[in-house]
Amino acid sequence: MADGPITELVELLARLPGIGERTATRLAFHILGLEPDYARALGRTLADLHERVKRCELCGNFGVSQRCAICLDARREPHQLCVVARVQDLIAIERSGRFRGRYHVLHALLAPLEGVGPDRLPLAALIERIGREGIEEVIVATPLSVDGEATSMYLAQALRATGVRTTRIASGVPHGGDLEFTDQVTLGRAFEGRREL
Amino acid sequence: MADGPITELVELLARLPGIGERTATRLAFHILGLEPDYARALGRTLADLHERVKRCELCGNFGVSQRCAICLDARREPHQLCVVARVQDLIAIERSGRFRGRYHVLHALLAPLEGVGPDRLPLAALIERIGREGIEEVIVATPLSVDGEATSMYLAQALRATGVRTTRIASGVPHGGDLEFTDQVTLGRAFEGRREL
């Protein structure tokens, strides 16, 4: 094996999810075959990444300054708050274009089995924000997984005292989904959550 | 979308082969969620990559100094030379452990349709090396593709004057290969290249 920097690069790339040693090797040689400008640009972006990316002090979204673009956007509906576990989920919701309020990113989910309890959820900040901003509805959009559901139920209970309306995104058969290949839990939820036609 | 550095990183990652925007986004957030040390290490390795990786002046392999580890290794069989198109191919051959000679990396293949002619092959250096090192056999291990075969045939012809023995790696049904799913050309070659039992 060509020693030094290539091995180093392969080892680092192979630590990423979904990238095995074979793919890492292919990527490393591909990068080596490109103009050096590409490797330099990617290298600089990575080296400065954690310094340049800031967490919004209001909602926890990532951005380039103290407040994120969504919190600074005066056209957003100011009384709806969507609670998500991760910034990736926020991005997915933004892509759907169906929510015009603002967000609250937990950066955590309850996971009692792994020792992640309620103290890791930014609950005080959320309650304080609901009061300060006059929030009327909190839409809980944590994942429909065990941890996401537990977090959702915990939040509903914890927010009861604030009197805010707390809703949960619907669970059911996904768009284009085939009933034959839909799991039992999802089908059960689709029946439970049925609506009038 | 979280602006600035994350978008920048996603765009750069998405230029790599086999990495679409979705995977790039997933990787970017994964990196952001790791300790900053990882991003910094990967960043530095990438930024310095082209400066630190040298081409061996004898064989064209990558290394960290003027001569690569294989050319410097006195235990290699000195009279066999394996010609490969790319350093990746050299690494694959080294992994097999079945060749103990040295290499000559072309860093190119004939591709007449794309305007890559014989002038792009380092032929003069190869012929000079065959004479200087007293090479007795040149094993052509360019790919079994159209371009690899064209390059192989061109080399055989060009090296005829040197009197060196020029051989080609075998083509046939791969190890574990099912005849039912082997293409016609490969099967044809397997018959042509049959050997006595």
Side-chain angles (χ1 to χ4, degrees):
Chain A
M1 177 74 187
D3 10 49
I6 301 179
T7 312
E8 224 171 276
L9 180 56
V10 170
E11 276 168 12
L12 286 166
L13 289 173
R15 285 198 223 159
L16 294 172
I19 297 189
E21 208 194 304
R22 272 184 109 88
T23 307
T25 305
R26 197 168 49 84
L27 289 176
F29 279 104
H30 179 85
I31 293 169
L32 201 56
L34 298 173
E35 286 300 306
D37 281 353
Y38 172 79
R40 271 185 223 124
L42 181 56
R44 262 197 316 268
T45 302
L46 281 163
D48 304 343
L49 185 68
H50 287 78
E51 254 166 75
R52 288 172 64 204
V53 174
K54 314 267 183 249
R55 271 198 198 185
C56 174
E57 60 178 9
L58 286 176
C59 77
N61 183 17
F62 293 131
V64 287
S65 53
Q66 278 187 304
R67 302 210 170 172
C68 77
I70 293 173
C71 283
L72 289 172
D73 184 352
R75 292 162 308 176
R76 306 293 295 213
E77 149 65 53
H79 305 297
Q80 276 193 329
L81 212 55
C82 178
V83 174
V84 293
R86 311 178 308 162
V87 175
Q88 291 96 303
D89 303 332
L90 177 160
I91 293 172
I93 295 168
E94 283 297 286
R95 236 186 251 129
S96 79
R98 295 299 284 274
F99 176 69
R100 295 299 303 158
R102 294 204 175 87
Y103 294 90
H104 208 79
V105 186
L106 300 176
H107 289 289
L109 281 178
L110 289 186
L113 294 179
E114 290 157 46
V116 184
D119 51 302
R120 292 279 293 277
L121 298 178
L123 195 64
L126 177 59
I127 289 173
E128 195 260 333
R129 191 174 170 200
I130 288 168
R132 191 180 64 240
E133 299 187 10
I135 299 297
E136 291 160 6
E137 181 180 0
V138 171
I139 302 171
V140 183
T142 54
L144 282 297
S145 62
V146 172
D147 292 354
E149 292 285 41
T151 307
S152 159
M153 284 188 283
Y154 177 80
L155 285 178
Q157 207 166 15
L159 297 184
R160 201 157 293 157
T162 67
V164 76
R165 183 181 170 213
T166 308
T167 58
R168 178 87 171 113
I169 54 166
S171 178
V173 182
H175 171 67
D178 200 321
L179 265 69
E180 182 183 355
F181 303 115
T182 302
D183 67 281
Q184 300 169 20
V185 178
T186 302
L187 269 181
R189 282 174 176 173
F191 273 81
E192 263 171 52
R194 68 191 181 278
R195 304 194 307 180
E196 300 293 338
L197 281 174
Chain B
M1 175 72 188
D3 12 48
I6 302 179
T7 313
E8 224 173 275
L9 180 56
V10 170
E11 276 168 12
L12 286 166
L13 289 174
R15 286 198 222 158
L16 293 172
I19 298 187
E21 209 194 304
R22 273 184 108 88
T23 307
T25 305
R26 196 168 51 85
L27 289 176
F29 280 104
H30 179 86
I31 293 169
L32 201 56
L34 298 174
E35 285 301 305
D37 283 353
Y38 172 79
R40 271 184 222 125
L42 181 56
R44 262 196 317 269
T45 302
L46 281 163
D48 303 343
L49 185 68
H50 286 79
E51 253 164 75
R52 288 173 64 205
V53 173
K54 312 268 183 249
R55 271 198 198 184
C56 174
E57 60 177 10
L58 285 176
C59 76
N61 183 16
F62 293 132
V64 286
S65 54
Q66 278 187 305
R67 302 210 171 170
C68 77
I70 294 173
C71 283
L72 288 172
D73 184 351
R75 291 162 308 176
R76 306 294 297 212
E77 149 65 52
H79 305 298
Q80 275 193 330
L81 212 56
C82 178
V83 174
V84 293
R86 311 177 309 162
V87 175
Q88 291 96 303
D89 303 331
L90 177 161
I91 292 171
I93 295 168
E94 283 296 287
R95 237 187 251 128
S96 80
R98 295 300 285 272
F99 176 70
R100 295 300 302 159
R102 294 204 176 87
Y103 294 90
H104 208 81
V105 187
L106 300 177
H107 288 289
L109 281 178
L110 290 185
L113 294 178
E114 290 157 46
V116 184
D119 51 302
R120 292 279 293 278
L121 298 178
L123 195 65
L126 177 58
I127 289 172
E128 195 260 334
R129 191 175 171 200
I130 289 168
R132 191 180 64 243
E133 299 186 9
I135 299 297
E136 289 160 7
E137 181 180 0
V138 171
I139 303 171
V140 182
T142 54
L144 281 298
S145 61
V146 172
D147 291 354
E149 292 286 40
T151 306
S152 159
M153 283 189 283
Y154 177 81
L155 285 179
Q157 207 167 16
L159 297 183
R160 201 157 293 156
T162 67
V164 77
R165 183 179 170 213
T166 308
T167 57
R168 178 86 170 114
I169 53 166
S171 178
V173 182
H175 173 66
D178 199 322
L179 266 69
E180 182 183 355
F181 303 115
T182 303
D183 66 281
Q184 300 168 21
V185 178
T186 302
L187 269 182
R189 281 174 177 174
F191 272 81
E192 263 172 52
R194 68 190 181 279
R195 303 194 308 178
E196 300 294 338
L197 282 174

